[in-house]
Amino acid sequence: MTVDPTIPRVSSMLLLDADGKRIAVKYFTPEWSTVPAQSAFEKSVFAKTSRTTAARGEVDITLFDEVVVVFKFVGDLMFYIVGTQEENELILSQVLTGFVESISLLLRGAVEKKTVLENLDLVLLAMDEIIDGGLLLETDATTIASRVTMRGAEENIPIAEQTLSQAYANVKEQIARSLLK
Amino acid sequence: MASTAQDPSAPLLRGDKKEEDRDEETEFSPFFGIEKGLVLQEARIFNSPQIDARKCQQVITKLLYLLCQGETFSKKEASEVFFSVTKLFQNKDSNLRRMVYLVIKDVCPSADEVIIITSSLMKDMNSKTDLYRANAIRVLCSILDSQLLGQIERYLKQGIVDKSPVVSSAVLVSAVHLLEGNSEIVKRWTNEIQEAQHNVHSMVQFHAVALLHALRANDRLAVSKLVSDLIKSSVRSPLAQCLLVRYVAQVIAESTAAPTGETRPFYDFLESCLRHKAEMVIFEAARAICNMRNVTLRELLPAVTVLQLFLSSSKPVLRFAAVRNINKVAQTNPGAVVNCNLDMEALISDSNRSIATLAITTLLKTSTESSVERLLKQMTSFMSDIPDEFKIVVVEAIRTLCLKFPQKYRALMNFLSNVLREDGGFDFKKAIVDSVLILIREIPEAKEPGLAHLCEFIEDCEFTYLSTQILHLLGLEGPKTKEPAKYIRYIYNRIILENATVRAAAVSSLAKYGALVPELRPRISILLQRALHDNDDEVRDRATLYLRELGGLNGSTPSQSDYIDLNWTLPNKNLETCLRQYLENGATQPFDLAIVPAAAAEKPRAETGKSKGASALANGPAPAAVKQEAEVTNHAAQLQAMPQFAMYGDLFKTCAAQQLTEEETEYSVLCIKHIFDGHVVFQFDCTNTVPEQVLEDVNVIVDLAEAEEFEEETLIPLPRMAYGAVGQCWAAFSKPAGALTTGRFVNTMRSRVKEIDPSTGEEEEEGYEDDYQLEDVEVAAADYIKAEAVSNFRNAWEAADAESEMTDDYGLGVKDSLQDAVEAVTAILGLKPCEGSDAVPPNARSHTVLLSGLLPGNVQVLVRMMFGIDMSRNVAMKLVVRSDGPETSEAIHQIIQNA
């Protein structure tokens, strides 16, 4: 039984640096199963998008070689979500927003190559929490970020059981604590 | 929080800190200088009794970094890493545990190793901590086999209705992956999934809806029930709503088209989704409406209206999505999107060039004859600031437009020539030149202005390939124009100013004017004489050759222009072999060109094939089809080079080549069938693949025992079949004119084989007779059918004689899908599908295909095929044929019956 084609899917998610070099990538379709194929693909994606004249910091989009690429540049980083031509562009864009914002939350706004590399574990975990084997797992940045940091794991109070104000207090406390470090 | 993993100031690799300091300017990566061997060694700390959670986390990150950079671990390395990682399950640090989950998925243990961690993961699956439960489920589901799945099924089932969204999402998404191999088990969870569908968390709802549909995807009734249920119960998650829209679209596509005037089922629902608050859902619904089959203008209107609103959105993604969809609608329903033209004209200057290009090409599709000029004016500024690949798309759109409005060729041609003058890469210029060439061929009035533009272009063209191509065309077309003289200056300028390759091409081109236009001959001769002093051999040689040929022409009548062999058809390879032999034999007599085998005039033919292909490309068939078409034209051209077959009348059809030998045997023989009204000609393309022998007097002997209605007319042998060269021999048969005579032909290749002594390269004198059995060739009724589309099938059908109609039902047995059945039958009949009816909508249970074609004598055949598929995938077909008479229709049925 093949998996239902109506389920939205992501073909790959990429995080490249300002020179197009890979920082963290995930591929979910067999067409890019080899490293040379992947790196060729990343090269062409980078070449097609890096010259874009659109205002930086805005989610942009392009179409080539049968794939739709939504992307956003933040500082010296380039975030990409790649889907098939048939995919709803706005869904891909929502995934990308979740990706970028969760990283921003996790790195406390310092979205740049240096901090990303220093906290690569967080970035990889975030990617794992957003897409599971090509399927959308979660797109809400706050939820992603709290899952990555295993928030609530120690206290043994599941997030679902916290009231809204509790959760808010908890988040505030976390941020305050991290700022004091 | 125990972990300091988020501390941005702590570098991950203390050892690299020094490196970093040394080389801070260029490389600040904490992974600078990382090495696999070292990291693997570091991984041993996983085994130490005192686990340093922070340190372990860093090492895991390094391992993942290596994997991410494309490093691969050998099986031994991977299993070592895996074993030591499993030790970390004893640690209580939650962040470390999270990393362990991640690395296990990436290292992917082999089946016999999975068992090591299952107990740890199962323990986590029952942990009190939601995040442990969720992650353990995801990891376990990604590595388990179906046996293990049975063991943990209970927990998964519970997990679906867990109150924590992270756990239920984890189970639901994993279940979608599990469907591939274990759908039976997942089906048993339906009750729980249905409960999750009403979960307050929108992601859980989305996952549950997706899984519910995936479980029922093959059952139409269940899907439409699911759709009705979902529509009634309000779906809150926008993503789930998008899914619902997709399912509705599917149900609509599968339902039989309602009679006109009646609204489609569920159309109201789609329309209501256009007013949803999430843009994602609005767009999904608009897209679904636009993609409906036979969508009416009235149905399209609300969808186009919301798309039009998106066009002026501030978000590029929205604009892109909208314009891409409008572009698609414009292909089928240009009228529906005319209202958006104003908004799209604004998008021409969009900073996202993908959007701008889509807008332009859409406008080119919807533009009316009167608006073409205005549009072109706007585009001129646009063209200068987009990358080449977009320019190519635009040029192709212009070409299509020009073929659509031939009267506007002047404006469009001017536009092309203007962009031709702009800067651009080779591919871009080539696209323009190709377009101009196609326009010159398709629109006779455009020829002269087109040639003039090309002349101007080569004045300042930096691409040798394009210059030579244009010069060649000028040589072919220029002499036939009213004023051939005006091109001479452009061509001669090339001889003065260009590189050797272009100069040579210009000399050849000039010579053609001399040969075809007697008045110009003296002037051409003078110009050619100047090229005699060129410093390039090739140019000088060509000039000498042509001067001599032109001189010869002066004596004879001008009509004998074939004296000068302007279309050099002898294959270079054949000429080369002959010349070598000539030199080896001592070169006592003058070399006679006539001994060079003229067969396989591949080179120039290939070129006609190519431009044919290019024009076909403008209409957009698949490249494979283009290649095949080019091959077929190529073969047809070879046939026409044979004067023996001229009396058979016009060639009706050339079939695709058929291989008569196994691959990698000593000879390779292809058979190409050419069909005439009263004759069938077989062309055998023979290749000798053995260097040590040469074949002479190659004949293909055809036995007609199983093809009684055919009579052999001529056999044309191939005099010599040298190593590596392709040569043809021919066999022609007569048959009753107009009849669809069929038969099986048994072929033997008879030849005289001469061994070549490998040390001296000499052939043996005598040689011996050899017979080589080839595979049989069959002439089937389908070979007589030429695929030819009719523009309006219904009209043609009504016009055809109803008396000739023949109907029959056929069972086609079990097929994978209707599309397979349609393709198979269409291929057998060899007819052309009309009105795109060969594309079966996905999951359709029944479908009608319209086919048309011609039989020898240009008899039109129209076929209507109704297909149906039942639950057990049995396909039945009803075939209705109309043609010029019942006999012909019967013959079409025969094709299917014999297949």
Side-chain angles (χ1 to χ4, degrees):
Chain A
M1 183 167 168
T2 51
V3 175
D4 195 343
T6 53
I7 302 180
R9 274 173 183 279
V10 168
S11 314
S12 66
M13 62 196 305
L14 319 174
L15 174 55
L16 307 182
D17 72 6
D19 303 319
K21 277 204 294 217
R22 88 162 47 160
I23 295 176
V25 295
K26 277 270 172 204
Y27 288 88
F28 305 105
T29 46
E31 56 181 311
W32 299 299
S33 52
T34 64
V35 177
Q38 292 177 357
S39 107
F41 175 71
E42 282 155 34
K43 247 188 216 124
S44 68
V45 168
F46 182 76
K48 292 261 158 40
T49 52
S50 57
R51 288 173 286 136
T52 180
T53 50
R56 296 215 147 204
E58 196 177 14
V59 176
D60 211 335
I61 185 165
T62 187
L63 169 82
F64 71 97
D65 294 350
E66 315 283 302
V67 293
V68 171
V69 182
V70 288
F71 56 98
K72 183 169 178 174
F73 301 152
V74 186
D76 53 358
L77 293 171
M78 312 187 132
F79 296 79
Y80 297 93
I81 297 290
V82 181
T84 63
Q85 264 201 57
E86 288 74 38
E87 199 45 79
N88 183 331
E89 293 90 337
L90 303 180
I91 294 183
L92 295 178
S93 148
Q94 181 172 350
V95 176
L96 180 73
T97 313
F99 186 18
V100 177
E101 284 179 4
S102 62
I103 299 291
S104 167
L105 277 177
L106 287 166
L107 304 181
R108 273 171 247 120
V111 187
E112 51 187 87
K113 186 180 172 186
K114 192 172 151 67
T115 41
V116 160
L117 283 172
E118 282 165 357
N119 297 283
L120 191 69
D121 46 350
L122 299 182
V123 175
L124 291 171
L125 288 175
M127 290 166 85
D128 185 57
E129 290 287 357
I130 298 167
I131 302 290
D132 180 285
L135 301 179
L136 278 62
L137 191 61
E138 181 55 70
T139 56
D140 177 62
T142 348
T143 318
I144 297 165
S146 73
R147 286 179 188 174
V148 166
T149 50
M150 301 295 278
R151 213 155 282 165
E154 270 88 31
E155 287 86 349
N156 275 341
I157 308 172
I159 289 178
E161 284 180 13
Q162 297 177 1
T163 61
L164 197 66
S165 58
Q166 243 178 350
Y168 180 62
N170 201 4
V171 170
K172 223 163 80 174
E173 188 196 347
Q174 302 276 0
I175 293 174
R177 205 194 295 175
S178 55
L179 285 174
L180 289 172
K181 264 183 207 161
Chain B
M1 293 221 4
S3 167
T4 50
Q6 299 162 58
D7 186 353
S9 57
L12 283 171
L13 280 172
R14 210 147 282 147
D16 278 349
K17 186 75 180 166
K18 274 179 227 147
E19 299 262 15
E20 193 187 314
D21 287 343
R22 213 188 311 148
D23 203 358
E24 206 161 17
E25 284 300 298
T26 54
E27 192 64 62
F28 49 75
S29 161
F31 300 104
F32 183 70
I34 190 168
E35 256 179 68
K36 186 170 85 170
L38 283 178
V39 178
L40 287 174
Q41 226 158 35
E42 281 186 77
R44 298 207 177 129
I45 61 159
F46 299 161
N47 296 323
S48 82
Q50 298 293 310
I51 288 177
D52 175 353
R54 174 94 188 93
K55 183 84 181 128
C56 289
Q57 222 174 315
Q58 286 169 1
V59 177
I60 294 179
T61 311
K62 279 195 228 172
L63 285 168
L64 292 171
Y65 177 78
L66 285 174
L67 282 173
C68 200
Q69 294 300 320
E71 191 82 59
T72 47
F73 292 162
S74 71
K75 195 161 181 324
K76 185 159 161 280
E77 287 166 344
S79 81
E80 248 170 48
V81 167
F82 172 71
F83 275 114
S84 42
V85 160
T86 54
K87 304 265 165 55
L88 297 177
F89 268 109
Q90 285 156 24
N91 194 283
K92 290 270 177 295
D93 187 292
S94 62
N95 293 82
L96 175 61
R97 183 70 61 90
R98 182 68 186 84
M99 286 309 275
V100 171
Y101 295 133
L102 185 61
V103 77
I104 287 176
K105 271 194 283 188
D106 275 3
V107 177
C108 245
S110 59
D112 45 331
E113 292 166 351
V114 168
I115 196 77
I116 314 266
I117 42 163
T118 42
S119 61
S120 309
L121 286 172
M122 274 161 78
K123 206 176 113 217
D124 280 357
M125 262 174 71
N126 293 307
S127 143
K128 281 212 180 67
T129 313
D130 297 333
L131 284 166
Y132 282 3
R133 282 215 298 283
N135 281 299
I137 287 168
R138 281 174 61 201
V139 175
L140 206 47
C141 288
S142 68
I143 59 176
L144 51 59
D145 55 12
S146 44
Q147 196 202 345
L148 187 58
L149 180 60
Q151 284 177 35
I152 60 164
E153 185 190 348
R154 192 161 54 91
Y155 305 115
L156 294 179
K157 215 163 153 179
Q158 278 168 10
I160 296 176
V161 286
D162 197 286
K163 52 189 179 308
S164 153
V166 64
V167 177
S168 15
S169 278
V171 185
L172 291 166
V173 170
S174 301
V176 174
H177 292 307
L178 285 174
L179 274 182
E180 212 149 335
N182 298 294
S183 59
E184 285 313 307
I185 295 181
V186 180
K187 269 195 189 128
R188 299 206 285 255
W189 310 340
T190 310
N191 282 337
E192 283 76 14
I193 305 170
Q194 259 162 345
E195 201 181 320
Q197 177 196 328
H198 304 293
N199 197 301
V200 286
H201 293 276
S202 61
M203 263 337 241
V204 178
Q205 185 177 46
F206 162 64
H207 291 138
V209 169
L211 182 57
L212 270 184
H213 180 263
L215 278 171
R216 295 156 190 210
N218 285 339
D219 184 352
R220 273 175 72 186
L221 272 179
V223 170
S224 57
K225 181 159 181 310
L226 175 69
V227 168
S228 329
D229 287 354
L230 286 173
I231 289 180
K232 264 181 247 144
S233 71
S234 64
V235 176
R236 273 163 304 98
S237 150
L239 277 170
Q241 187 82 0
C242 281
L243 284 178
L244 181 52
V245 169
R246 288 183 191 187
Y247 305 155
V248 166
Q250 222 175 29
V251 172
I252 292 182
E254 281 166 3
S255 59
T256 40
T260 41
E262 210 174 294
T263 45
R264 285 170 209 262
F266 298 123
Y267 174 79
D268 291 341
F269 169 74
L270 287 185
E271 214 214 314
S272 72
C273 286
L274 293 174
R275 294 183 291 274
H276 198 272
K277 56 184 184 303
E279 282 162 342
M280 186 194 289
V281 179
I282 301 177
F283 175 66
E284 189 72 49
R287 193 166 75 147
I289 292 177
C290 294
N291 289 340
M292 287 193 307
R293 239 183 319 145
N294 306 327
V295 63
T296 60
L297 267 184
R298 199 161 54 88
E299 288 167 327
L300 266 178
L301 200 65
V304 172
T305 313
V306 298
L307 290 178
Q308 189 176 1
L309 284 175
F310 283 176
L311 284 179
S312 42
S313 156
S314 63
K315 294 184 197 158
V317 176
L318 264 183
R319 294 199 299 274
F320 176 88
V323 75
R324 188 153 81 105
N325 225 330
I326 290 178
N327 187 311
K328 228 181 271 167
V329 177
Q331 284 168 11
T332 48
N333 272 311
V337 293
V338 172
N339 283 342
C340 308
N341 277 3
L342 261 183
D343 298 270
M344 270 186 302
E345 281 176 29
L347 289 183
I348 294 179
S349 51
D350 198 292
S351 59
N352 181 323
R353 304 326 279 171
S354 296
I355 297 177
T357 314
L358 279 168
I360 286 272
T361 44
T362 314
L363 283 169
L364 288 175
K365 278 181 201 123
T366 58
S367 61
T368 49
E369 201 151 355
S370 54
S371 65
V372 169
E373 267 128 357
R374 189 166 53 93
L375 189 60
L376 287 178
K377 209 175 278 171
Q378 280 178 311
M379 281 169 55
T380 323
S381 60
F382 163 81
M383 285 300 272
S384 54
D385 53 35
I386 52 169
D388 272 8
E389 68 247 32
F390 291 152
K391 288 185 188 165
I392 294 172
V393 177
V394 173
V395 165
E396 275 159 10
I398 298 256
R399 178 171 70 206
T400 326
L401 187 67
C402 194
L403 294 173
K404 192 164 109 197
F405 300 127
Q407 297 91 321
K408 289 284 165 199
Y409 75 88
R410 202 175 294 275
L412 291 162
M413 196 72 112
N414 271 332
F415 179 83
L416 286 179
S417 86
N418 280 336
V419 288
L420 197 52
R421 267 184 238 131
E422 277 173 29
D423 291 335
F426 173 72
D427 286 329
F428 170 50
K429 298 278 171 158
K430 186 167 175 298
I432 304 177
V433 170
D434 284 348
S435 298
V436 174
L437 293 184
I438 287 166
L439 296 182
I440 287 177
R441 196 169 44 235
E442 302 288 330
I443 307 171
E445 307 88 57
K447 190 196 271 179
E448 296 218 10
L451 287 180
H453 289 311
L454 292 177
C455 280
E456 267 172 49
F457 172 60
I458 54 169
E459 290 278 276
D460 188 23
C461 170
E462 52 192 311
F463 304 106
T464 303
Y465 172 85
L466 293 179
S467 291
T468 49
Q469 199 186 359
I470 293 171
L471 284 169
H472 177 74
L473 180 86
L474 284 176
L476 283 181
E477 300 289 345
K480 296 182 214 153
T481 55
K482 270 183 262 137
E483 286 179 84
K486 70 176 174 192
Y487 301 107
I488 292 178
R489 179 173 63 88
Y490 293 104
I491 301 174
Y492 183 66
N493 280 347
R494 298 305 99 212
I495 302 188
I496 307 172
L497 300 166
E498 290 281 357
N499 63 38
T501 317
V502 179
R503 289 202 303 273
V507 165
S508 300
S509 180
L510 263 192
K512 283 175 199 164
Y513 285 84
L516 296 170
V517 190
E519 310 83 78
L520 291 176
R521 199 167 297 146
R523 284 152 72 187
I524 298 282
S525 298
I526 295 169
L527 293 175
L528 285 179
Q529 263 157 19
R530 296 192 189 153
L532 286 177
H533 306 292
D534 197 282
N535 50 17
D536 184 81
D537 295 350
E538 173 74 20
V539 181
R540 276 201 310 275
D541 289 354
R542 284 197 191 193
T544 317
L545 171 72
Y546 290 128
L547 267 177
R548 199 183 149 99
E549 300 280 6
L550 290 178
L553 267 185
N554 270 339
S556 57
T557 49
S559 66
Q560 275 179 310
S561 60
D562 56 351
Y563 177 72
I564 174 167
D565 193 2
L566 292 166
N567 297 313
W568 180 256
T569 49
L570 292 179
N572 292 343
K573 209 169 179 178
N574 295 3
L575 179 61
E576 188 188 333
T577 14
C578 289
L579 281 172
R580 274 180 201 285
Q581 276 172 3
Y582 171 71
L583 285 177
E584 276 166 18
N585 293 342
T588 44
Q589 289 153 340
F591 180 73
D592 185 5
L593 261 187
I595 69 160
V596 181
E602 291 288 346
K603 263 279 155 58
R605 298 296 180 220
E607 217 163 77
T608 49
K610 206 165 101 197
S611 47
K612 250 281 182 347
S615 80
L617 208 63
N619 306 326
V626 174
K627 191 167 159 254
Q628 196 181 2
E629 189 188 320
E631 240 166 51
V632 168
T633 18
N634 197 353
H635 292 139
Q638 283 170 352
L639 176 84
Q640 269 140 17
M642 302 293 290
Q644 289 91 330
F645 304 127
M647 61 194 185
Y648 293 168
D650 286 341
L651 174 64
F652 175 71
K653 180 190 172 185
T654 294
C655 302
Q658 177 190 353
Q659 186 85 34
L660 297 189
T661 47
E662 310 252 321
E663 272 184 40
E664 294 177 18
T665 45
E666 52 263 67
Y667 316 114
S668 146
V669 179
L670 283 173
C671 176
I672 297 115
K673 290 171 276 187
H674 300 280
I675 311 286
F676 291 88
D677 201 13
H679 296 84
V680 174
V681 174
F682 288 1
Q683 169 185 353
F684 298 99
D685 274 3
C686 312
T687 318
N688 174 10
T689 59
V690 184
E692 293 83 27
Q693 65 181 31
V694 58
L695 275 62
E696 287 186 349
D697 295 327
V698 185
N699 239 326
V700 176
I701 310 295
V702 184
D703 180 45
L704 298 178
E706 289 177 65
E708 286 163 0
E709 284 175 78
F710 289 92
E711 259 179 67
E712 188 171 303
E713 286 225 331
T714 16
L715 284 182
I716 302 173
L718 173 67
R720 186 179 162 86
M721 182 164 144
Y723 167 62
V726 184
Q728 280 93 12
C729 47
W730 305 80
F733 309 94
S734 66
K735 65 167 190 72
L740 307 185
T741 323
T742 57
R744 175 182 284 277
F745 298 77
V746 182
N747 308 302
T748 319
M749 185 169 77
R750 180 165 295 164
S751 60
R752 172 171 296 278
V753 180
K754 290 183 174 178
E755 304 279 342
I756 297 179
D757 189 333
S759 51
T760 58
E762 271 175 39
E763 292 168 23
E764 54 177 0
E765 287 279 304
E766 279 296 306
Y768 56 91
E769 292 275 331
D770 184 37
D771 278 2
Y772 188 82
Q773 190 65 40
L774 302 174
E775 277 173 36
D776 299 349
V777 175
E778 195 153 357
V779 174
D783 290 332
Y784 294 103
I785 294 178
K786 184 154 83 174
E788 186 98 11
V790 288
S791 55
N792 188 327
F793 189 87
R794 182 186 287 266
N795 283 357
W797 183 263
E798 301 295 333
D801 185 6
E803 293 286 302
S804 68
E805 187 171 303
M806 297 280 294
T807 311
D808 213 341
D809 295 323
Y810 301 89
L812 302 181
V814 178
K815 296 273 179 194
D816 272 352
S817 67
L818 268 188
Q819 186 72 49
D820 283 1
V822 168
E823 278 163 17
V825 177
T826 312
I828 291 169
L829 287 175
L831 290 164
K832 185 93 177 170
C834 298
E835 300 170 10
S837 60
D838 54 330
V840 182
N843 291 331
R845 296 288 171 206
S846 61
H847 185 67
T848 302
V849 183
L850 311 171
L851 300 172
S852 77
L854 293 178
L855 290 179
N858 289 339
V859 175
Q860 189 170 48
V861 181
L862 300 166
V863 173
R864 224 181 238 270
M865 300 193 289
M866 275 76 94
F867 288 87
I869 190 165
D870 66 10
M871 288 310 286
S872 48
R873 299 190 177 280
N874 265 314
V875 178
M877 173 181 75
K878 182 177 182 181
L879 185 76
V880 190
V881 185
R882 282 189 184 185
S883 61
D884 66 336
E887 298 80 21
T888 321
S889 306
E890 178 62 36
I892 301 290
H893 277 286
Q894 282 294 335
I895 298 178
I896 294 289
Q897 281 155 20
N898 297 338

